């Protein structure tokens, strides 16, 4: 599961934004043959696009089962529409939209990445199908008709779409969490590496200073010993000095 903050973000995206976006995407698909460059740029940069654009098939507005030729054809048509050269009145937004299209296309060219995206879509569909079965079980248990709203193909597609986007969002949140954790670990390891290098440097400097001053310390010690020896010898000689003999006085 995603972190608490991630879940809140995902739920926020999955409610009002998902509903509005799904409705507008379907309207756009209906007029796809006359879709303008501005409309495509607006679609790709709309609020919440950082989550909506996680699904490369939605970015390119292409069926997940599309062939490679169909994918290539769709990319060319869409990239031309949003290319900055074609939208010189709004080059910055066009550039961002073009980057989103280019990223989605390159992702789907990678077999492993495309498989992961398809797995998410299939997981979303399986989740909705499971929910439909559970609803029918409950209706049967309650003795009610087994009709559910997902029997309407459009409602079923909308439910799959919303669940799929939730899954894409959750995966992205987890990816960011892993990335932040890895960055923290790398930073900590780097700090430890720097500290170890500084300690090694201090140790080398201490050893160098120790070696450079060794002769001086030895000479000082020898001088100290020599002085101590002379002082001891002088003291010992004072004890060996014979006592003075008093002369006897005669009467």
């Amino acid at each position: 599961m995603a972190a608490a903050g991630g879940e809140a973000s995902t739920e926020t995206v999955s409610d009002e934004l998902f509903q509005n976006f799904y409705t507008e995407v379907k309207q756009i698909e209906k007029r796809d043959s006359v879709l303008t460059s501005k409309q495509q740029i607006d679609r790709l940069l709309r609020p919440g696009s950082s989550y909506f654009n996680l699904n490369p098939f939605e970015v390119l507005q292409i069926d997940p089962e599309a062939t490679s030729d169909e994918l290539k054809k769709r990319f060319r048509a869409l990239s031309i529409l949003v290319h900055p050269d074609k939208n010189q009145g709004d080059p910055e937004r066009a550039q961002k939209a073009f980057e989103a299209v280019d990223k989605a296309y390159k992702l789907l060219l990678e077999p492993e990445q495309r498989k992961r995206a398809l797995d998410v879509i299939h997981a979303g569909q399986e989740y909705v199908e499971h929910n439909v079965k559970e609803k029918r079980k409950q209706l049967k248990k309650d003795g009610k008709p087994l009709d559910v709203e997902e029997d309407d193909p459009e409602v079923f597609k909308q439910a799959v779409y919303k669940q799929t986007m939730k899954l894409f969002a959750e995966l992205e949140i987890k990816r960011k969490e892993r990335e932040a954790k890895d960055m923290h670990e790398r930073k900590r390891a780097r700090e430890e590496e720097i500290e170890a290098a500084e300690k090694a440097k201090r140790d080398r400097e201490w050893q160098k200073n120790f070696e450079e001053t060794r002769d001086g310390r030895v000479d000082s010690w020898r001088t100290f010993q020599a002085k101590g020896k002379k002082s001891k010898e002088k003291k010992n000689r004072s004890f060996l000095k014979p006592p003075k003999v008093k002369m006897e006085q005669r009467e």
Side-chain angles (χ1 to χ4, degrees):
M1 295 299 294
E7 290 178 353
S9 299
T10 304
E11 288 302 320
T12 300
V13 172
S14 64
D15 294 334
E16 183 178 356
L17 286 177
F18 273 132
Q19 180 63 40
N20 294 338
F21 181 71
Y22 181 84
T23 300
E24 293 187 21
V25 164
K26 293 309 170 185
Q27 293 174 348
I28 287 173
E29 289 175 346
K30 290 180 180 180
R31 62 174 189 267
D32 185 68
S33 59
V34 294
L35 200 60
T36 66
S37 296
K38 183 180 183 305
Q39 288 171 331
Q40 281 290 8
I41 292 173
D42 289 343
R43 176 182 72 86
L44 293 166
L45 302 183
R46 60 179 292 103
S49 60
S50 59
Y51 284 98
F52 299 134
N53 292 349
L54 293 173
N55 184 343
F57 296 104
E58 285 295 333
V59 171
L60 298 176
Q61 292 181 314
I62 193 170
D63 189 275
E65 304 303 325
T67 65
S68 297
D69 288 340
E70 290 171 335
L71 174 62
K72 186 175 182 180
K73 182 178 178 180
R74 180 57 185 160
F75 166 71
R76 285 180 175 176
L78 190 54
S79 62
I80 290 174
L81 277 176
V82 301
H83 198 282
D85 291 347
K86 186 176 177 63
N87 298 274
Q88 296 184 7
D90 194 3
E92 292 184 4
R93 296 182 74 244
Q95 180 63 35
K96 292 180 180 178
F98 178 80
E99 289 173 358
V101 171
D102 187 62
K103 180 180 179 181
Y105 177 64
K106 289 179 178 178
L107 187 149
L108 292 180
L109 287 180
E110 293 289 335
E112 187 61 29
Q113 294 292 335
R114 180 167 182 166
K115 181 179 181 303
R116 289 178 183 176
L118 285 171
D119 287 344
V120 174
I121 292 173
H122 294 157
Q125 182 171 338
E126 289 173 0
Y127 180 88
V128 174
E129 290 173 347
H130 173 75
N131 279 352
V132 170
K133 289 180 181 178
E134 292 299 313
K135 285 183 180 180
R136 286 202 171 99
K137 284 182 181 180
Q138 187 61 45
L139 290 171
K140 184 176 182 180
K141 183 178 179 180
D142 297 338
K144 297 179 180 180
L146 303 184
D147 298 330
V148 294
E149 59 180 351
E150 287 84 1
D151 288 336
D152 182 337
E154 192 62 27
V155 174
F156 181 82
K157 287 176 64 177
Q158 181 176 351
V160 171
Y161 174 85
K162 292 169 67 175
Q163 182 58 35
T164 297
M165 295 307 294
K166 283 183 180 180
L167 292 176
F168 272 111
E170 288 175 357
L171 289 174
E172 177 64 7
I173 289 168
K174 290 179 180 179
R175 185 194 68 78
K176 289 182 177 179
E177 289 175 348
R178 289 194 302 270
E179 188 177 77
K181 183 178 179 181
D182 291 343
M183 184 178 297
H184 175 74
E185 290 297 325
R186 289 195 298 270
K187 181 180 178 182
R188 183 180 62 81
R190 179 56 181 164
E191 289 174 349
E192 292 179 352
E193 182 181 336
I194 292 174
E195 177 60 27
E198 290 178 348
K199 182 179 181 302
K201 181 180 178 181
R202 291 194 299 268
D203 290 344
R204 288 194 302 270
E205 290 176 348
W206 183 90
Q207 185 65 30
K208 180 180 179 181
N209 292 335
F210 180 84
E211 294 292 337
E212 290 177 347
T213 60
R214 179 173 56 185
D215 292 342
R217 291 196 308 275
V218 171
D219 290 342
S220 296
W221 176 246
R222 288 174 178 170
T223 301
F224 173 77
Q225 285 184 316
K227 288 183 178 180
K229 185 175 180 180
K230 289 179 180 179
S231 176
K232 185 176 181 180
E233 290 176 350
K234 184 176 180 181
K235 187 175 181 180
N236 288 340
R237 285 199 299 272
S238 66
F239 282 107
L240 296 175
K241 185 177 181 181
K244 293 181 179 180
V245 178
K246 294 182 178 182
M247 299 297 294
E248 295 184 357
Q249 294 182 354
R250 295 184 180 181
E251 295 180 356

